[in-house]
Structures are given as C-alpha cells and as structure tokens.
Amino acid sequence: MNIHSGNDALRSGGHGDTNNVAGDVRGRNFFEMDHSLRSILQLYCPDDLRTHMWPHWQRLGELAGGRLDELADIADKHPPVLHHRDRFGRDEAWIEHHPAYAEMEQVALGQFGLHAMSHMPGVLDWPEPVPPIAKYAFTYLFVQAEFGLMCPISLSDTGLAMMKRFGDDFIQKNFVQRMLTLDTSTLFRAAQFMTEKPGGSDVGRVETVARDCGDHWKLDGEKWFCSNPHADVALLLARPEGAAAGTRGLGMFVMPKILPDGTRNSYRIARLKDKLGTKSMASGEIIMQGATAYALGDVNNGLRQMMEQVNLSRLSHGVRASAMMRRCLNEALVAARERQAFDQAVIDMPLVQRQLMKLMVPTEQSLSMYAYVAENLGASKEGDKEASTRLRMATGLFKFRACRDNPVVATGSMEQRGGNGYIEDFIGPRLIRDAQIGLLWEGTSNINGLDVLNRAVAKVGAHNELRKDLEHRIAGSNAIPPGLREQAGETLDRAVRMADEVARREDETQARRVSSALYHATTAALMAWEGATLGARGGDARRMLLSRMVIDKRLSPDDPLAVEDTRFDRQAAPLLLSDRPVSLDAAAALLAV
C-alpha cells in the first residue's frame, strides 16, 4: 500500500515549494488532524458536553497549529529576564517576558480560561465547571504548540483547587476570588514553591521556618526551584516553630506577592534558572526574610494536603507528555511522507514503518490513559469511591510511563527528519529539551514508581480495583475478538500478580518494572475495548490493532537472538499509518494473523 499518496491529513500547511525539504505541521488544525483524539472524545465525553466543546476544540486546534505555534517559537528564543531594581534603585524585582509570551497567556487564560474552567461555571459558556475529560482536551491541544506556559497554568489551576478546599474566609476573599476571572489585567496567577536545597524528593527535610503571629505567619528560608516565581500568590510548605521533624511537622501556607496594604512582601527572587528546556517560562530561587503568609488548612497536615495538589499536577504532566508525543508523531509522519530517498517516499519503506510504530504505540497508549484517568477523576469528584481508588493507581502509572516514553518518542521523531531534525529552525530540538522535565517535576521516575508500589499497591490495593474495572469492560464487549480478549485479560492478570508478589517481598528495586507492567496491561485492555466499541458503532477499530502491538512489544518475552515473526506488524503498520478508518471486520481479520 502506498501510504504517501493516499493521505493528505498531515501535509505541511501553507509552505508551498520546500525545495525537497520536508515540511512540518505548522498551519494545520491540530484538532481536525487528530482522528485519535476525536474518536476518544466520542467514547469518554458525554454527548452534550462534547457537542458544546467541539467548536472550541476546533478553534484552539487552529490556534495551536498557527498563531500559538509561532508565538511559542519566539518565546523559546527570547527567554524571560529578571530585573532586580527599578530605575529609582528600589528593590522592586520584576520579570520581563517577551510580548509573545503575554499573547499566549491571553489565549490560554483570557480566551479559554484554562486555569479556571474546572472551578467556576460559565467558562466557554458551559453552565457548570468543565469536567476533566473536556478540560484536559484543551491542555492536550495547547501543549502541542507550547509546553512552558502550561506549567504556570497548571500551578494556578491546582493552587485554586487547594485554596478553594482548604482556605478560610480570608483566603477565599483575598486570593480565590481574584483567581476566578478571565480578565488577565486583574487575574491573580499562582505558583507552588516546594523544593529546597536539601529537600527535593525528600520533602521531610524542608528547612523553611514559619513563626505564628496570630492572624498571619512569618516565613524565613529559601526555596530552590520555583517556577513562575513572580506569581501573585504562592503555595509552599514550611515547618512551624517547634513542630516535629520530618514530614509530619510541615504545614502548608499561602504567600502573596503584594500585602493588603499594597507593599511588597519580604521575599526576593535571587536569580532565574538557566534551564535545559521550558525556556519561555521563568523558574527561579526565592529567599524569604520574614515574609508574610497565611496558613492553608491545618498546619499539622500540610504534606497530606500537598499530595492532593501533587496528584493533580501529575495528571497534568501525563497529559502534557501525551500532547508532546502527539506533536512528535505528527512531525515524524509529515517528514516521512514528504521525504524522498532512493526514488521512493520514505514512509513506504518497511523499516521506517516499523520505527514509526515505535512512536505511535506509546503516543496512543498515553491518549487512552489520559481519557481513563480523566474519566475516573470526574467520577471521583462525584463521590465514586471505587473511581477514587482507581485514580490513586492510574494517576501514578500515567505520570511515570508517559513521561518516560516522551523523550524516546521525541528523539525518534527527530531521526525521521534526518539532519534537519537537529536544527533549531524546526521544533524537534525544543521538543527534546522540554520532554526531559516530565522526568523530574512532581517526582522523578523512582519516586513515582515507589508511590505506585508502596502506596497504591501495598497500602491501598488499587491495582485490584483497576483490574476489576478493566475486566468488566473487556467482558462487556462482544466485539472484541476472542483471541485479543484472552491476551488482554491474561496480561492484565499477570501484571497484577506481579505487583502483588513484588509488594509482598517489599522489593523496591522492581518498582519501575511493576509500574511499567501495570501501565502497559491497562492500556492494552483499554485500547482493545475502545477499538471494539468504536468499530461496533461503525467507526474506527484501529485501536484493537494497537492493543495487540502493546501486548506483543511491551508485555511479551523478547529473545534478542530469535528471528521475529513480523507478519502482523507488516500488515498492520500501513493501516495504522493511514488516516482511513479500519473497520471492525478488517481489524478482526488482521488480528487472526
């Protein structure tokens, strides 16, 4: 099958004659070109919500592929600058961003309200707070153009969630209400200052001290890695004087940049970080010298409150990794379709198709996981305790594996473009740089793997609740071919048994293997169910083929010296690389190979 001649959806947009240099996806509508996202939303998003949001997703998809992509490129090349003093010599530090960054903020915060749509009704004319499945679709589209700004947006979003839940009347009036707006001229932006020199992953080593002054607290200490350091309000952990050592002695506090009397609070930005990636967004070091702050909730329960914020941030990181992988995959597909080598289109070469599958499979896995986690988050908010248990497991799995897959996919995408993939004229280098941060923020891979094993598995037993839900989906779909149903169910059982055994042995060295196994087994089951359900409705059943690839490539033994049977792969790859839908019958026939 000649994939190159049969597909127009991923052609480069508006570039004209490229003089035999493959184009990119700039100029395309990132929503319209993404049949996978549209299919997933048809499955997971309620009809009325999906119908209402569809034109808004289309509008953001057009912006992401056009103006936002241009602005992101400019902002990346013109990083923020810290000014310590004003022209009169006053210590009024401020951060200067390029106008391109401000214009992106206006789109994200002013036009779409990405920071507030989960917390207030009326955003994009939806009468209630926007449910997670729809909200994160906006994140997914926006990040395909700009990753850096999504960090401050997420900080404001999760900060709002924490302050709304735990804040007293003073915090609600003075901070929360200032954040529940789409007017960027008055909007309070938020940050979280958690990391210290001795206390990154080991939060219990936080050294910032909080002194009780009655209706407020005074903070002294230093925060080492603070993204969005010029935010109007920051959430942070500190240890009240006399409190116990370790994590139990930590409280959570809200620290404003400007005090109620209009004066600047007593902390300063020492410097900005010179980072590998996310260059459009400022990260810095904060030194507090008697800074005024307000207790958020119970000062004896700060870490537990913070973990709620961390779990929301981990979900956001998973979605961001998924979005970047989608951009990487789309760029690789365009390059492979438009490049000619040895008198043929590169995408028609079997080895290239095999490498593209290595990019597509993790990208599609992460899309299924985003939808599943968002669905369970929405159900959890409605009081579904079983969904809350599943969420405890699925969020950690998503953050762990999607963020690990992202750098590999970014590198593979660069390779498809050849030498031009290494050149800053194209987006590849920025995607590679930005992909690394997901391995660090909100817990390294080790921290997330240990969280899955020691807490979600050993303490909560969330893997059993996850298996029960997935088995119910598989059993409830008559459209899944028996062979795939058996494979998906068996690998899911084996992954759960593996997790049980490793937890019983308390063998932390296998935490990452357990997390990967559970993630792959979960996504294989989900994609089998998704493809069969869509196919039974007369839609695209291709996700069943992807499920088989996950089982074959990521869950089955691999003998490096054995000659592979590649018949299924060679027949499935052309279908998956085409935008034409795969019928249920065609998918079932191919799965029999």
Side-chain angles (χ1 to χ4, degrees):
M1 179 182 293
N2 190 321
I3 305 303
H4 180 71
S5 61
N7 189 306
D8 293 324
L10 288 173
R11 304 281 183 206
S12 59
H15 293 288
D17 181 12
T18 58
N19 297 316
N20 298 318
V21 175
D24 55 20
V25 299
R26 179 175 290 179
R28 302 295 303 184
N29 185 313
F30 287 177
F31 182 69
E32 290 295 335
M33 69 191 291
D34 194 344
H35 60 79
S36 293
L37 175 62
R38 298 198 309 274
S39 294
I40 284 294
L41 290 170
Q42 290 172 6
L43 272 181
Y44 288 90
C45 191
D47 291 345
D48 57 342
L49 177 62
R50 186 179 69 253
T51 300
H52 181 89
M53 291 300 175
W54 202 269
H56 296 294
W57 290 324
Q58 286 178 314
R59 182 163 63 96
L60 183 54
E62 182 177 3
L63 284 167
R67 181 59 176 165
L68 277 173
D69 201 46
E70 296 170 355
L71 294 169
D73 186 49
I74 296 170
D76 180 68
K77 291 179 171 59
H78 298 84
V81 177
L82 172 63
H83 300 276
H84 287 283
R85 310 184 87 190
D86 67 10
R87 65 184 185 276
F88 299 107
R90 294 173 297 196
D91 293 326
E92 297 287 345
W94 80 96
I95 294 175
E96 178 185 2
H97 283 96
H98 191 278
Y101 187 88
E103 188 173 339
M104 289 193 296
E105 274 197 319
Q106 181 58 38
V107 172
L109 306 175
Q111 293 186 34
F112 288 91
L114 300 185
H115 65 295
M117 61 170 50
S118 290
H119 308 289
M120 59 183 287
V123 176
L124 301 177
D125 297 322
W126 186 248
E128 300 172 348
V130 176
I133 185 64
K135 163 191 168 178
Y136 287 110
F138 288 104
T139 299
Y140 187 83
L141 292 167
F142 189 93
V143 170
Q144 290 182 53
E146 163 63 5
F147 176 84
L149 177 57
M150 188 50 66
C151 177
I153 295 169
S154 177
L155 293 173
S156 292
D157 175 25
T158 58
L160 251 176
M162 293 300 98
M163 286 187 280
K164 283 182 65 179
R165 177 166 183 181
F166 298 111
D168 58 17
D169 290 343
F170 177 85
I171 290 174
Q172 301 294 332
K173 178 181 178 181
N174 288 277
F175 306 127
V176 171
Q177 291 305 313
R178 295 290 299 273
M179 299 177 70
L180 293 174
T181 179
L182 275 60
D183 182 353
T184 56
S185 67
T186 61
L187 169 67
F188 265 30
R189 295 156 174 82
Q192 278 108 46
F193 302 161
M194 303 296 178
T195 303
E196 299 188 7
K197 290 178 181 178
S201 298
D202 187 0
V203 179
R205 297 184 64 189
V206 163
E207 295 178 342
T208 298
V209 176
R211 177 163 42 90
D212 191 353
C213 298
D215 62 349
H216 66 278
W217 295 69
K218 292 291 186 180
L219 306 182
D220 290 279
E222 182 175 349
K223 296 295 181 178
W224 182 240
F225 201 106
C226 305
S227 292
N228 208 29
H230 57 305
D232 300 286
V233 60
L235 275 65
L236 69 165
L237 292 177
R239 194 179 309 280
E241 286 182 319
T247 57
R248 293 185 178 182
L250 296 176
M252 181 173 276
F253 299 87
V254 177
M255 183 176 72
K257 179 169 67 176
I258 305 298
L259 298 176
D261 63 3
T263 60
R264 189 71 173 255
N265 205 349
S266 299
Y267 69 88
R268 61 187 177 90
I269 306 171
R271 63 168 177 165
L272 297 186
K273 300 288 193 180
D274 186 7
K275 298 173 294 181
L276 173 67
T278 63
K279 289 182 175 292
S280 64
M281 182 267 300
S283 299
E285 301 165 15
I286 299 293
I287 298 176
M288 296 161 286
Q289 298 169 313
T292 298
Y294 304 92
L296 182 61
D298 182 359
V299 293
N300 299 309
N301 206 23
L303 181 63
R304 181 175 295 181
Q305 294 172 186
M306 186 201 75
M307 288 308 300
E308 294 191 26
Q309 175 267 325
V310 166
N311 284 330
L312 290 173
S313 294
R314 286 176 176 172
L315 169 54
S316 177
H317 266 289
V319 176
R320 284 180 256 173
S322 183
M324 282 196 284
M325 283 192 276
R326 178 65 62 187
R327 178 65 185 269
C328 292
L329 174 62
N330 285 343
E331 292 288 348
L333 289 172
V334 164
R337 288 186 176 113
E338 296 192 356
R339 288 181 66 199
Q340 296 283 323
F342 310 106
D343 299 322
Q344 64 176 315
V346 168
I347 200 170
D348 291 333
M349 299 176 179
L351 184 54
V352 170
Q353 293 182 0
R354 178 183 173 93
Q355 296 310 113
L356 288 171
M357 287 299 97
K358 293 181 180 181
L359 309 185
M360 180 178 288
V361 169
T363 299
E364 297 291 356
Q365 284 181 274
S366 68
L367 178 62
S368 293
M369 205 65 175
Y370 134 56
Y372 186 69
V373 176
E375 180 185 68
N376 279 281
L377 176 58
S380 176
K381 288 184 174 182
E382 296 297 323
D384 186 333
K385 293 184 179 179
E386 293 177 342
S388 297
T389 302
R390 292 192 294 270
L391 187 67
R392 183 67 185 84
M393 166 68 70
T395 302
L397 296 178
F398 189 25
K399 165 62 168 70
F400 170 81
R401 191 66 252 174
C403 290
R404 291 207 60 76
D405 286 338
N406 190 12
V408 177
V409 172
T411 303
S413 176
M414 176 189 68
E415 187 177 4
Q416 287 299 322
R417 194 171 291 280
N420 284 331
Y422 199 65
I423 305 303
E424 295 285 348
D425 291 342
F426 294 93
I427 196 175
R430 174 156 60 95
L431 290 170
I432 289 174
R433 291 193 301 269
D434 287 353
Q436 312 304 317
I437 199 64
L439 301 173
L440 307 174
W441 280 350
E442 305 304 350
T444 63
S445 299
N446 281 355
I447 293 298
N448 280 274
L450 290 170
D451 183 67
V452 167
L453 178 63
N454 292 340
R455 294 183 177 87
V457 173
K459 291 186 178 180
V460 182
H463 57 314
N464 293 312
E465 188 60 50
L466 185 69
R467 174 175 59 180
K468 183 172 72 173
D469 180 63
L470 295 172
E471 287 179 341
H472 175 75
R473 293 179 189 239
I474 295 173
S477 175
N478 294 326
I480 302 177
L484 181 61
R485 186 197 315 275
E486 182 179 350
Q487 284 181 305
E490 180 183 354
T491 52
L492 183 62
D493 284 341
R494 290 187 64 197
V496 169
R497 290 198 302 271
M498 174 189 181
D500 278 330
E501 179 63 17
V502 173
R504 185 188 66 78
R505 295 183 184 184
E506 298 182 351
D507 186 357
E508 293 185 347
T509 65
Q510 298 194 62
R512 290 163 69 137
R513 289 188 65 234
V514 166
S515 298
S516 290
L518 288 169
Y519 178 86
H520 296 324
T522 296
T523 53
L526 286 173
M527 288 196 285
W529 170 77
E530 291 161 355
T533 305
L534 289 166
R537 296 177 183 177
D540 194 346
R542 72 176 60 217
R543 302 190 77 75
M544 290 200 304
L545 305 181
L546 292 163
S547 173
R548 164 79 177 270
M549 286 193 167
V550 173
I551 294 169
D552 288 350
K553 304 301 181 184
R554 312 196 83 172
L555 286 166
S556 299
D558 180 26
D559 180 353
L561 299 181
V563 177
E564 287 186 77
D565 181 353
T566 62
R567 288 175 298 167
F568 172 77
D569 297 347
R570 287 184 283 113
Q571 294 181 51
L575 296 179
L576 292 169
L577 291 171
S578 170
D579 274 352
R580 289 186 290 273
V582 178
S583 71
L584 185 64
D585 289 342
L590 184 52
L591 287 167
V593 172

